[in-house]
Amino acid sequence: MIGPFVQDLPATRVVFGIGLLDQLSDEVKRIDGRRVMLIYGNHESAYAEQVESQLGYAIVARFTDVVMHVPASIAQTATELCRAADVDLLVALGGGSSTGLAKAIAKATGLPIIAIPTTYSGSEMTTLWGLTENSRKVTGRDARVLPRTVIYDPLLTLSLPQDLSAASGMNAIAHLVEGLYAPGISPVAMLQCEEGVRALAKALPRIAADPHDVDARTDALYGAWLAGWALGTTGIGVHHKICHVIGGAYDLPHAATHSAVLPYATAFNEPFAPGAMDAVVRALRSAGIDADSAGGGIWDLATSIGAPTSLRDAGFDPKNTQEAAELVVAANPVNPRPIELAGILELFISAYDGTRPVASTK
Ligand code: NAD
């Protein structure tokens, strides 16, 4: 049965295709950008040169001190630079960390963003922002941080190392899985989430076999776009809450943490969201993965592409388990399965152990 539902779609212009970074200057003109601040991390400097060659003198400021989880002090420094240079447009080139920094500046200044993603994080399609201060990551939603335009060019992902590609792809799948049971789900979002899981589950093993496979990179970026869009419009549950809490508190790598937690968070919710889990299993099967359950099938996919399936691999210290579980319970995420300490502790223990999950029967 369809609905009831509310669909609230924020508008982002999306330019998607191989080689379409060369449309950046047209996109900048389209929103009348004249004084650009270019934000990128060290590994994106080759692409930054392409941006510089297109935008030339329009770039009046550059910021390259991009750090995962957006430390508040760095956001403050970048915002001051932006104001001092009288910037009127932010161009964020890179993964979720570059986009996240641009969002922090946009939140403070109201400036528009053009995002050029080079990973599968999906941040470019959301109104979600995050800032970390005193080992606590605070997140929220603000329409001002949603990029005005996103340019998806699969060529910019060819250099993403295989381990990061696998983990980042699992991060995108996490958005899609949680989107399927989040409060903002709509009939269109259901189709989008299932299609996104299918696209990524088909693409990631091909990328693992050949990171320079442009077709596979294009399919994965397509799945990442659907995932970011789902994250932006549907919502999150216990899985994302765990990753945000432990990512900020213990400075863990974002994508690897998502990859490590997802099979277990999915199994935790499996009996409480049967429609969503059926969609995940269908998508995995149509991608050629012989999934007997959503959590188990996700674990199989992650294992086959060398993505982390244990919090140990993501650098989590088990001595923090009790504290982390208490932080998650205190955050009280909206989730199909009720959140209580014993269940969350069990989830952490399984995710640290890394054994293939079986769906919880509780
Ligand atoms: P990231 O942006 O930190 O990138 C990981 C590493 O890969 C960095 O060293 C980066 O320089 C490098 N890299 C990126 N693209 C590359 C490429 N094409 N080739 C070679 N190296 C490349 O990691 P991420 O996982 O993309 O983003 C993580 C951050 O994004 C976290 O802070 C997370 O909270 C945030 N995030 C936010 C949202 C949101 O909606 N607000 C969604 C997802 C992630």
Side-chain angles (χ1 to χ4, degrees):
M1 194 182 77
I2 301 288
F5 66 89
V6 173
Q7 189 174 48
D8 185 3
L9 290 182
T12 293
R13 178 176 161 86
V14 173
V15 177
F16 185 106
I18 294 167
L20 293 194
L21 177 60
D22 68 7
Q23 299 202 356
L24 174 61
S25 59
D26 289 346
E27 295 302 326
V28 168
K29 281 186 202 128
R30 206 184 155 87
I31 51 182
D32 205 20
R34 290 158 197 266
R35 298 183 61 81
V36 171
M37 177 165 174
L38 176 60
I39 297 160
Y40 62 97
N42 284 338
H43 296 104
E44 294 98 59
S45 51
Y47 307 129
E49 281 172 24
Q50 293 180 45
V51 169
E52 297 258 1
S53 72
Q54 276 192 61
L55 299 187
Y57 290 116
I59 300 179
V60 296
R62 292 161 191 80
F63 197 88
T64 58
D65 189 11
V66 170
V67 176
M68 196 172 283
H69 303 308
V70 196
S73 57
I74 290 185
Q76 176 69 30
T77 306
T79 303
E80 281 163 15
L81 175 66
C82 171
R83 287 195 167 120
D86 196 19
V87 165
D88 64 11
L89 172 65
L90 305 166
V91 172
L93 169 70
S97 299
S98 293
T99 310
L101 179 59
K103 285 175 160 185
I105 301 169
K107 184 169 173 289
T109 61
L111 288 175
I113 301 172
I114 293 182
I116 310 168
T118 61
T119 70
Y120 307 126
S121 84
S123 175
E124 65 282 352
M125 287 299 296
T126 82
T127 59
L128 280 165
W129 55 267
L131 275 175
T132 303
E133 198 163 19
N134 303 324
S135 295
R136 289 288 176 271
K137 185 163 181 176
V138 183
T139 59
R141 287 186 188 265
D142 188 329
R144 287 178 308 168
V145 311
L146 181 73
R148 190 79 67 82
T149 305
V150 180
I151 299 180
Y152 286 104
D153 184 341
L155 296 181
L156 308 192
T157 60
L158 292 179
S159 56
L160 191 63
Q162 157 50 20
D163 58 340
L164 278 176
S165 300
S168 190
M170 296 308 296
N171 181 196
I173 291 179
H175 305 333
L176 297 157
V177 171
E178 290 229 294
L180 280 162
Y181 54 65
I185 192 71
S186 71
V188 172
M190 285 173 82
L191 297 171
Q192 177 189 335
C193 289
E194 188 170 333
E195 167 69 357
V197 174
R198 190 202 58 76
L200 282 155
K202 264 190 110 159
L204 295 176
R206 286 148 62 213
I207 292 171
D210 175 9
H212 291 99
D213 179 337
V214 178
D215 280 357
R217 288 291 190 178
T218 305
D219 289 352
L221 204 55
Y222 161 63
W225 164 57
L226 293 174
W229 188 10
L231 177 67
T233 52
T234 58
I236 57 171
V238 71
H239 167 82
H240 279 77
K241 193 51 81 182
I242 289 175
C243 295
H244 291 166
V245 164
I246 64 178
Y250 314 117
D251 198 23
L252 300 182
H254 178 80
T257 304
H258 270 273
S259 180
V261 172
L262 185 62
Y264 311 97
T266 306
F268 174 85
N269 275 328
E270 202 140 356
F272 293 80
M277 299 304 171
D278 286 350
V280 173
V281 169
R282 254 193 325 269
L284 292 173
R285 287 190 183 155
S286 76
I289 294 157
D290 186 20
D292 59 353
S293 63
I298 287 168
W299 188 92
D300 293 340
L301 170 64
T303 308
S304 75
I305 60 174
T309 50
S310 157
L311 273 177
R312 186 189 295 112
D313 301 342
F316 180 72
D317 186 336
K319 79 173 186 330
N320 293 322
T321 300
Q322 181 75 27
E323 180 189 63
E326 284 171 8
L327 287 170
V328 171
V329 173
N332 196 22
V334 176
N335 189 66
R337 175 170 167 178
I339 301 298
E340 32 74 39
L341 188 59
I344 299 298
L345 274 170
E346 226 174 84
L347 199 168
F348 267 101
I349 290 164
S350 323
Y352 187 79
D353 178 56
T355 309
R356 189 179 192 276
V358 281
S360 165
T361 51
K362 284 176 195 151

